[in-house]
């Protein structure tokens, strides 16, 4: 007989375990003793990305699983998800907007400096080249 274990706190499915003769009830050898946090019902659902199978007390169901996800809000506030069942807020983004703005500002300032240097170089070259006279 197989039983299906779940985590004590999160209730997430951990795996199957085949009961042995040692798991039989010593007072009724026709019955197995079911370990704590295990059930005889196999998980009837399959988790997709960002989901986990949990035992809800009467059967297996799916719950969101974004644990470990790091996200930012548009304000630049960084957060992460550490608990099963939490989902990112609707306005979450997967990059640091402050760092991106700083990077884009640095790129813009570099481009401006390069354009200024090129303009100065072209002006210097124009002054160094004598104008052709017309006679």
């Amino acid at each position: 007989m197989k039983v299906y274990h779940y985590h004590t706190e999160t209730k997430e499915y951990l795996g199957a375990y085949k009961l042995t003769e040692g798991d039989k009830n010593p007072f009724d050898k026709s019955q197995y003793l079911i370990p704590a946090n295990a059930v005889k019902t196999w998980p009837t659902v399959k988790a997709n990305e960002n989901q986990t199978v949990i035992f809800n007390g009467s059967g297996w169901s799916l719950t969101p699983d974004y644990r470990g996800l790091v996200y930012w809000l548009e304000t630049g506030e960084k957060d992460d998800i550490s608990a099963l069942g939490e989902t990112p807020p609707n306005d979450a983004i997967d990059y640091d907007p402050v760092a991106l703005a700083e990077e884009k500002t640095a790129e813009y300032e570099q481009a401006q400096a390069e354009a200024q240097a090129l303009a100065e170089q072209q002006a210097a070259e124009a002054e160094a080249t004598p104008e052709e006279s017309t006679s």
Side-chain angles (χ1 to χ4, degrees):
M1 167 189 264
K2 276 189 180 178
V3 293
Y4 304 90
H5 288 273
Y6 57 90
H7 190 275
T8 304
E9 294 174 18
T10 65
K11 308 299 184 206
E12 67 188 300
Y13 174 63
L14 298 176
Y17 173 75
K18 185 171 175 143
L19 298 176
T20 65
E21 288 296 314
D23 296 310
K24 286 195 172 182
N25 185 337
F27 301 106
D28 182 356
K29 293 291 186 183
S30 67
Q31 297 291 318
Y32 285 94
L33 298 174
I34 307 298
N37 303 315
V39 293
K40 294 189 274 183
T41 308
W42 62 280
T44 56
V45 293
K46 182 172 173 27
N48 294 312
E49 186 176 8
N50 299 319
Q51 292 181 322
T52 292
V53 177
I54 62 163
F55 187 71
N56 62 25
S58 61
W60 298 100
S61 62
L62 296 174
T63 193
D65 188 1
Y66 288 89
R67 291 174 292 182
L69 176 71
V70 176
Y71 64 90
W72 288 263
L73 301 175
E74 290 180 3
T75 60
E77 182 182 346
K78 180 180 178 182
D79 204 354
D80 69 316
I81 296 178
S82 58
L84 191 60
E86 285 184 38
T87 58
N90 290 335
D91 59 343
I93 50 180
D94 62 355
Y95 59 87
D96 181 351
V98 174
L100 180 62
E102 290 170 355
E103 179 184 324
K104 293 299 179 188
T105 299
E107 288 174 6
Y108 174 77
E109 289 171 351
Q110 177 68 31
Q112 288 292 92
E114 289 171 4
Q116 181 66 33
L118 181 59
E120 290 171 2
Q121 179 186 1
Q122 290 172 341
E125 288 173 358
E127 286 180 13
T129 305
E131 290 186 25
E132 292 183 27
S133 58
T134 54
S135 352

